[in-house]
Amino acid sequence: MLELIREGLTHELTYIFSVYGLSFIVMFYALFRILKNSESKTYNDVFWMLAAFALSKGLSVLADAANLIVSDRVELYGVTLNNLSAMFAVTSNVFVLQFSIDLITCRLAHRDIYKIFPVILFSSYIALFMFGIIEDYDANVTGRYGFGYNGGILASVALFSLYSSEKQNKSIGFLRGLQGLAIGFILYSIFDGVAEKPIMGVPIYLYRMICAVLIATSSFYLKELFIVKKTSKVDYL
């Protein structure tokens, strides 16, 4: 009986993790399609960080989904699915922190100095992880608290600021997408940053899945940000 219950829970979690991870993979594809044809020099590099976040986060969650199926029996050169999940999870949270810093500072003349802080933090984490000072679980928790929570909050602030500066010039669809993305990252900072236990009896992974779907869906409406309006010159005789 307990085995049947365990199998049922594993099946449900596998479905949740699959939707959760694939949402971020779809988000990466949407951003890749938008950014490869981008005309904007101001925001192009910034949102590549968001695309990198989506890809690494999606791979992390899908590694967790695969781990539920094979029970971590897959190992290649000593690297397990748990190792891959932890590595991609921390990397994704570094990317979202970098995205938020880049978006806040993208109009500053000397903004490169702000890029060094996530690099220092990430390098410190890699050193601790490689030398075995922290384990997979501890590394994941450190990434979520250190990068994910702060990155999610800062990303939300940066996106709401962008919304405020663009709301007079852009379409309703774009603005709603920007709002959805900003709200999504507030939720991300909570459910994927600091919350671990079930909320009102609902597994935290379900909240994370809903958050991922919101962020991914909102990213489809960002195309207008990267279209540069061209002004034509009129010659007067």
Side-chain angles (χ1 to χ4, degrees):
M1 184 67 178
L2 289 174
E3 187 64 28
L4 289 174
I5 294 173
R6 190 178 295 109
E7 287 180 4
L9 290 173
T10 300
H11 178 75
E12 289 179 2
L13 279 176
T14 303
Y15 174 78
I16 290 172
F17 272 100
S18 298
V19 175
Y20 176 19
L22 288 173
S23 295
F24 283 116
I25 297 297
V26 170
M27 175 183 175
F28 167 75
Y29 176 74
L31 288 172
F32 177 81
R33 290 289 302 272
I34 292 171
L35 293 170
K36 73 173 185 176
N37 299 316
S38 171
E39 302 170 354
S40 172
K41 294 181 180 180
T42 303
Y43 296 112
N44 198 51
D45 291 343
V46 174
F47 278 83
W48 274 117
M49 288 293 105
L50 186 61
F53 155 75
L55 179 61
S56 50
K57 187 65 179 181
L59 292 174
S60 170
V61 177
L62 290 178
D64 283 332
N67 197 35
L68 287 172
I69 299 171
V70 301
S71 301
D72 211 19
R73 291 190 295 269
V74 176
E75 183 176 327
L76 183 64
Y77 298 110
V79 179
T80 66
L81 288 170
N82 273 334
N83 297 146
L84 289 174
S85 175
M87 180 185 69
F88 282 124
V90 175
T91 303
S92 68
N93 286 325
V94 172
F95 279 131
V96 77
L97 180 59
Q98 187 64 65
F99 162 72
S100 62
I101 291 173
D102 286 352
L103 187 56
I104 290 171
T105 62
C106 66
R107 295 185 181 277
L108 297 180
H110 304 288
R111 63 191 179 97
D112 289 344
I113 187 63
Y114 296 98
K115 294 183 178 182
I116 196 171
F117 299 115
V119 174
I120 293 173
L121 290 171
F122 185 56
S123 299
S124 302
Y125 153 78
I126 288 294
L128 292 171
F129 183 69
M130 293 298 292
F131 286 106
I133 298 174
I134 55 175
E135 300 296 330
D136 291 341
Y137 176 77
D138 296 326
N140 203 352
V141 171
T142 301
R144 287 194 292 106
Y145 279 85
F147 304 120
Y149 174 74
N150 294 314
I153 291 292
L154 282 176
S156 179
V157 171
L159 288 163
F160 274 123
S161 177
L162 181 61
Y163 168 83
S164 179
S165 65
E166 297 286 345
K167 65 181 179 180
Q168 302 298 328
N169 307 315
K170 302 296 183 181
S171 67
I172 295 296
F174 167 78
L175 295 175
R176 286 178 178 171
L178 212 52
Q179 284 180 318
L181 204 58
I183 293 169
F185 273 111
I186 291 177
L187 299 177
Y188 179 88
S189 70
I190 298 170
F191 300 129
D192 229 315
V194 294
E196 292 187 54
K197 297 180 180 179
I199 299 174
M200 296 184 293
V202 179
I204 193 63
Y205 299 109
L206 185 60
Y207 292 102
R208 292 177 182 177
M209 182 194 76
I210 294 170
C211 176
V213 171
L214 173 60
I215 291 174
T217 303
S218 300
S219 67
F220 279 84
Y221 295 90
L222 296 178
K223 184 176 181 180
E224 193 175 341
L225 182 65
F226 303 94
I227 298 174
V228 177
K229 293 182 179 180
K230 297 178 180 178
T231 56
S232 59
K233 295 181 180 179
V234 179
D235 295 325
Y236 294 92
L237 296 177

